[in-house]
């Protein structure tokens, strides 16, 4: 299955980060029988604020993920099991040669980024009446805003600027490669500027594809299955009188946007009455009433780097949930979703500090096992793998020797991806409400999972690195008998052995992880 | 295939040890009276049999009953070999001495020297058994020396 994932604004970019971690853990959407569905994800970041630190972090993570996955699985598409199983592609990867797209995840809204808003609308060329109208709708600050830092919490300027999307090369190529069975998902916040503006514009451009002469594939696009995550206010910012962004405005902006969405997106009207039709097939809403640790009030000039929050983590799960909804429940006719679905999320335990045990049962069943496996693999590679080289499974052909530690794959994994992973976990821990799935202050496997104990009993010892090696030895022995791995499959060998081993160990050594 | 060849070789070498025990022991250590009594009483055969059984049993315990990552390094294997050798030598010594005492013979000094030889033979048998059977061990198949 292929998903085009539009990440609009800062919140869109921040939700991508936990999604990358979930996909790295091997979490995939499941069909009705519970079997994994191979996934190809095409993230499209829509944010003119190129210098946004959160954007840069997410873009780096995406690149590293792709490099790691390519090393493990080469160009294989239909991977149903394993860490980094889901494939992540840029739009350029899908488009035949000879196009002018750059090999990046970022949507090029070049003409928007480089201008001030008044230049974009050619304010100086307007007649007096229109200039007066504009002055009523947009403040002087907004007219003078250079949009290379986004739309500074102002969806009114965003909604004008983002209309350029439909004329872009990216949208044209997206329409070219989009197929009937592909899906679209849009992540945005409702209380900011870029996300609140971009979300309805992207939806309308897709649903109104029939009217766009640049677009091929009009029928498939107009009736595409579209899901959307709307993130309600969930974080706090420091009060700054000089900044155009204020938390006090979040609620009022949210209300305005929700009314607009209701009338134009999710609850359409027919001669003044609501009809059960929507342009969106599935709408997800998430927010939190617990005020976060106040972020630095940065409209964008200083890079806008905000700590990870559990709302983003749960928001990422909505994307996977959307992919699991069967096709027959996502029927679209003439650009309108038949029987649209609306979802919210509730925790099982309303605590200030959450662990993996505090989510709902279905979430725990879906993610806990894989997230724990991934963290144990991280612990093993970080704390013990070095010692095991030259022993046991590392000697089975193809052998893992010290030279493997200096390969670009291993360096990207340990010096880049894992460093970002731990940083993400630390931010989740220190934020409010905090999310602490793992104990970051230990190097012992038996203590590393919050609220989940290892099994103990007569002759039952807590898990340690020797147990890991023992299971990996057994798995490797079986693989060697059938010559499963070739000489250039070293990353695949390591990751497949770790996946199989930790899958077994989590079940054997821990009391119920669900 | 290679693993099966190794185990067949190991079994053959062990059988040769049992069948030609007298020749092998006497080629290493020969004292006319002592060696004659050892041969006549059938002690060479008994000691060789005990050595082979102990060596293969010791190797089996290390590679399949213990078979632990925590006890899989070369020095763990060496310790197992030494314990096996000690056990075999002690058993053979006391058995042989009892036989000699019951026949009113005193070969303490020769038996002592023979025990050192027997220890070396036991170690060699342990090495043969190790390399023959280690391939199927999940945690110790590269102990003491990788292939």
């Amino acid at each position: 299955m292929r998903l085009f994932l539009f990440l609009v604004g800062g919140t869109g970019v921040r939700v991508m980060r936990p999604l990358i971690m979930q996909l790295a853990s091997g979490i995939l959407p499941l069909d009705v029988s519970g079997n994994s569905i191979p996934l190809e994800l095409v993230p499209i970041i829509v944010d003119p604020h190129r210098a946004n630190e959160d954007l840069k972090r997410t873009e780096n993570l995406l690149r590293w993920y792709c490099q790691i996955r390519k090393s493990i699985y080469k160009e294989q598409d239909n991977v149903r099991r394993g860490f980094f199983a889901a494939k992540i592609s840029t739009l350029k990867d899908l488009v035949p040669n000879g196009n002018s797209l750059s090999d990046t995840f970022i949507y090029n809204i070049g003409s928007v980024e480089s201008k001030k808003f008044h230049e974009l609308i050619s304010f100086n060329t307007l007649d007096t009446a229109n200039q007066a109208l504009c002055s009523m709708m947009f403040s002087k600050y907004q007219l003078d805003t250079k949009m290379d830092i986004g739309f500074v919490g102002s969806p009114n300027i965003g909604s004008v600027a983002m209309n350029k999307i439909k004329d872009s090369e990216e949208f044209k190529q997206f329409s070219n490669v989009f197929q009937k069975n592909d899906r679209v998902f849009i992540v945005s916040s409702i209380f900011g500027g870029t996300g609140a503006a971009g979300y309805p514009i992207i939806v309308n451009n897709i649903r109104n594809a029939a009217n766009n002469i640049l677009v091929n594939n009009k029928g498939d696009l107009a009736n595409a299955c579209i899901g959307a995550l709307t993130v309600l206010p969930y974080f706090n910012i420091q009060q700054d009188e000089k900044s155009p962004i204020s938390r006090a405005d979040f609620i009022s902006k949210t209300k305005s946007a929700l009314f607009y969405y209701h009338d134009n997106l999710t609850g359409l009207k027919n001669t003044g009455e609501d009809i059960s039709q929507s342009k969106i097939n599935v709408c997800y809403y998430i927010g939190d009433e617990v005020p976060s640790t106040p972020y630095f009030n940065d409209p964008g000039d200083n890079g806008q780097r905000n700590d990870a929050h559990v709302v983003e983590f749960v928001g990422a799960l909505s994307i996977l949930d959307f992919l699991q909804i069967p096709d027959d429940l996502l029927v679209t006719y003439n650009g309108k979703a038949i029987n649209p679905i609306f979802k919210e999320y509730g925790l099982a335990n309303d605590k200030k500090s959450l662990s993996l045990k505090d989510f709902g049962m279905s979430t725990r069943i879906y993610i806990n096992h894989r997230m724990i496996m991934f963290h144990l693999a991280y612990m093993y590679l970080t704390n013990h793998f070095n010692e095991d080289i030259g022993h046991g499974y590392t000697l089975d052909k193809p052998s893992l020797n010290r030279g493997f530690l200096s390969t670009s794959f291993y360096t990207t994994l340990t010096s880049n991806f894992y460093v970002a992973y731990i940083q993400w976990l630390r931010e989740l821990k220190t934020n409010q409400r905090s999310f602490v799935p793992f104990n970051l202050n230990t190097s012992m496997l038996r203590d590393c999972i919050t609220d989940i104990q290892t099994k103990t009993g007569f002759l039952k010892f807590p898990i340690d690195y020797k147990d890991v090696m023992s299971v990996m030895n057994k798995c490797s022995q079986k693989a060697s008998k059938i010559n499963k791995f070739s000489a250039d499959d070293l990353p695949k060998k390591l990751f497949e052995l770790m996946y199989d081993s930790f899958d077994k160990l989590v079940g054997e050594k821990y009391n119920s992880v669900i | 295939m290679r693993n099966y060849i190794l185990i067949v070789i190991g079994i053959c070498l062990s059988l040769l040890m049992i069948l030609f025990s007298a020749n092998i022991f006497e080629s290493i250590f020969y004292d006319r009276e002592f060696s004659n009594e050892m041969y006549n009483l059938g002690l060479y055969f008994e000691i060789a049999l005990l050595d082979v059984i102990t060596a293969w049993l010791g190797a089996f315990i290390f590679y399949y009953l213990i078979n632990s990552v925590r006890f899989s390094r070369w020095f763990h294997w060496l310790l197992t070999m030494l314990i096996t050798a000690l056990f075999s030598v002690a058993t053979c010594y006391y058995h042989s001495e009892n036989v000699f005492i019951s026949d009113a013979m005193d070969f303490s000094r020769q038996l002592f020297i023979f025990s050192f030889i027997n220890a070396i033979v036991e170690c060699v048998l342990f090495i043969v058994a190790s390399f023959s059977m280690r391939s199927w061990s999940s945690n110790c198949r590269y102990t003491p020396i990788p292939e």
Side-chain angles (χ1 to χ4, degrees), chain A residues 262-264 266-278:
Chain A
H262 174 269
D263 291 344
N264 295 280
T266 59
L268 301 175
K269 286 192 179 297
N270 185 10
T271 61
E273 286 190 8
D274 285 350
I275 48 178
S276 63
Q277 282 187 2
S278 167

Side-chain angles (χ1 to χ4, degrees), chain B residues 10-145:
Chain B
I11 291 170
C12 289
L13 287 173
S14 302
L15 285 173
L16 286 171
M17 175 67 207
I18 295 169
L19 290 172
F20 298 100
S21 50
N23 302 71
I24 292 167
F25 279 125
E26 286 180 358
S27 66
I28 303 170
F29 172 70
Y30 184 78
D31 178 278
R32 192 163 61 90
E33 286 181 23
F34 169 77
S35 298
N36 282 343
E37 292 303 329
M38 288 284 283
Y39 183 85
N40 292 336
L41 292 169
L43 284 171
Y44 281 137
F45 176 82
E46 288 176 11
I47 287 169
L49 189 64
L50 196 66
D51 282 349
V52 165
I53 291 172
T54 314
W56 281 78
L57 195 63
F60 180 79
I61 289 171
F62 177 79
Y63 285 106
Y64 296 99
L65 292 189
I66 299 175
N67 190 25
S68 168
V69 171
R70 293 171 180 81
F71 199 79
S72 64
R73 299 294 173 94
W74 64 268
F75 43 87
H76 299 125
W77 174 87
L78 191 66
L79 179 67
T80 310
M81 184 175 76
L82 291 175
I83 292 172
T84 307
L86 199 65
F87 174 80
S88 177
V89 161
T91 311
C92 293
Y93 181 90
Y94 282 112
H95 173 66
S96 304
E97 197 178 24
N98 286 340
V99 169
F100 288 141
I101 286 171
S102 66
D103 285 348
M105 288 181 272
D106 180 19
F107 289 112
S108 301
R109 188 187 62 85
Q110 292 92 332
L111 201 53
F112 194 74
I113 297 168
F114 179 77
S115 294
F116 277 108
I117 306 301
N118 192 28
I120 295 168
V121 169
E122 175 66 13
C123 290
V124 170
L125 284 169
F126 185 85
I127 292 169
V128 167
S130 294
F131 280 85
S132 298
M133 68 163 70
R134 70 176 187 166
S135 308
W136 291 277
S137 172
S138 58
N139 290 316
C140 303
R141 58 187 180 277
Y142 293 110
T143 309
I145 303 169

Side-chain angles (χ1 to χ4, degrees), chain A residues 286-303:
Chain A
I286 189 155
D288 196 2
E289 291 176 347
V290 172
S292 73
T293 307
Y295 297 157
F296 175 65
N297 190 326
D298 172 21
D301 308 83
N302 295 305

Side-chain angles (χ1 to χ4, degrees), chain A residues 137-267:
Chain A
M137 292 195 299
F138 308 107
S139 68
K140 190 171 184 319
Y141 178 86
Q142 288 173 341
L143 286 168
D144 284 338
T145 292
K146 191 163 183 224
M147 292 173 289
D148 59 347
I149 58 168
F151 307 122
V152 289
S154 304
N156 52 341
I157 64 174
S159 59
V160 173
M162 296 285 270
N163 260 316
K164 296 287 180 185
I165 283 177
K166 67 179 185 302
D167 302 324
S168 66
E169 181 67 16
E170 278 83 359
F171 193 81
K172 181 180 154 196
Q173 296 298 348
F174 156 66
S175 69
N176 282 341
V177 300
F178 186 86
Q179 293 170 5
K180 194 176 171 189
N181 295 326
D182 294 342
R183 295 189 184 185
V184 176
F185 198 92
I186 304 162
V187 180
S188 61
S189 76
I190 200 169
F191 55 91
T194 311
Y199 162 41
I201 287 173
I202 292 169
V203 172
N204 284 327
N205 282 332
I206 292 173
R207 291 295 186 216
N208 295 336
N211 302 327
N212 189 338
I213 55 169
L214 291 178
V215 160
N216 298 325
N217 230 345
K218 297 179 199 298
D220 288 345
L221 212 50
N223 290 327
C225 295
I226 300 181
L229 170 69
T230 301
V231 184
L232 306 171
Y234 70 95
F235 64 77
N236 199 359
I237 52 172
Q238 295 166 5
Q239 195 58 29
D240 182 352
E241 286 172 2
K242 294 175 191 166
S243 169
I245 299 177
S246 166
R247 173 152 172 98
D249 296 336
F250 282 179
I251 300 300
S252 56
K253 282 181 180 171
T254 298
K255 280 184 180 174
S256 301
L258 281 172
F259 275 114
Y260 176 81
Y261 291 172
H262 174 269
D263 291 344
N264 295 280
L265 283 181
T266 59

Side-chain angles (χ1 to χ4, degrees), chain A residues 240-483:
Chain A
D240 182 352
E241 286 172 2
K242 294 175 191 166
S243 169
I245 299 177
S246 166
R247 173 152 172 98
D249 296 336
F250 282 179
I251 300 300
S252 56
K253 282 181 180 171
T254 298
K255 280 184 180 174
S256 301
L258 281 172
F259 275 114
Y260 176 81
Y261 291 172
H262 174 269
D263 291 344
N264 295 280
L265 283 181
T266 59
L268 301 175
K269 286 192 179 297
N270 185 10
T271 61
E273 286 190 8
D274 285 350
I275 48 178
S276 63
Q277 282 187 2
S278 167
K279 290 184 183 176
I280 317 288
N281 296 88
V282 191
C283 293
Y284 296 86
Y285 296 94
I286 189 155
D288 196 2
E289 291 176 347
V290 172
S292 73
T293 307
Y295 297 157
F296 175 65
N297 190 326
D298 172 21
D301 308 83
N302 295 305
Q304 201 174 73
R305 182 188 170 111
N306 297 328
D307 283 351
H309 194 284
V310 67
V311 160
E312 295 150 10
F313 180 85
V314 175
L317 293 176
S318 69
I319 301 166
L320 296 166
D321 183 85
F322 171 68
L323 290 168
Q324 295 181 117
I325 299 175
D327 288 332
D328 53 1
L329 294 180
L330 300 178
V331 177
T332 314
Y333 179 72
N334 232 6
K336 307 285 188 294
I338 309 300
N339 295 324
I341 301 169
F342 299 88
K343 293 195 179 190
E344 285 185 302
Y345 191 88
L347 294 168
N349 303 313
D350 184 10
K351 289 155 61 180
K352 291 285 168 62
S353 181
L354 303 172
S355 70
L356 285 170
K357 292 284 221 171
D358 294 316
F359 295 119
M361 176 61 83
S362 57
T363 304
R364 300 203 304 267
I365 292 171
Y366 185 44
I367 69 167
N368 280 14
H369 193 96
R370 299 277 175 272
M371 295 288 303
I372 291 170
M373 281 168 59
F374 185 73
H375 190 73
L376 293 179
Y378 154 77
M379 297 276 287
Y380 173 70
L381 284 180
T382 307
N383 297 317
H384 202 77
F385 176 62
N386 211 3
E387 285 179 40
D388 284 349
I389 290 192
H391 304 286
Y393 72 91
T394 66
L395 294 171
D396 290 330
K397 291 192 172 27
S399 60
L400 291 158
N401 52 32
R402 298 242 163 250
F404 179 74
L405 302 180
S406 46
T407 56
S408 62
F409 161 76
Y410 194 78
T411 312
T412 302
L413 178 70
T414 53
S415 304
N416 295 331
F417 194 90
Y418 277 163
V419 169
Y421 170 67
I422 280 302
Q423 176 61 24
W424 171 70
L425 286 174
R426 284 200 186 107
E427 290 175 18
L428 285 170
K429 182 182 174 184
T430 53
N431 214 334
Q432 291 296 324
R433 160 195 329 252
S434 75
F435 177 42
V436 192
F438 307 115
N439 178 0
L440 304 178
N441 299 322
T442 180
S443 59
M444 312 289 282
L445 293 179
R446 62 171 181 252
D447 299 325
C448 69
I449 308 172
T450 311
D451 291 348
I452 295 173
Q453 314 303 327
T454 53
K455 287 181 183 171
T456 53
F458 181 65
L459 292 181
K460 277 189 186 166
F461 302 102
I463 184 173
D464 71 4
Y465 293 110
K466 299 293 182 192
D467 295 315
V468 175
M469 180 145 193
S470 181
V471 178
M472 288 185 74
N473 284 343
K474 288 190 178 81
C475 292
S476 181
Q477 191 177 33
K478 282 184 198 160
S480 293
K481 280 180 187 162
I482 56 174
N483 292 321

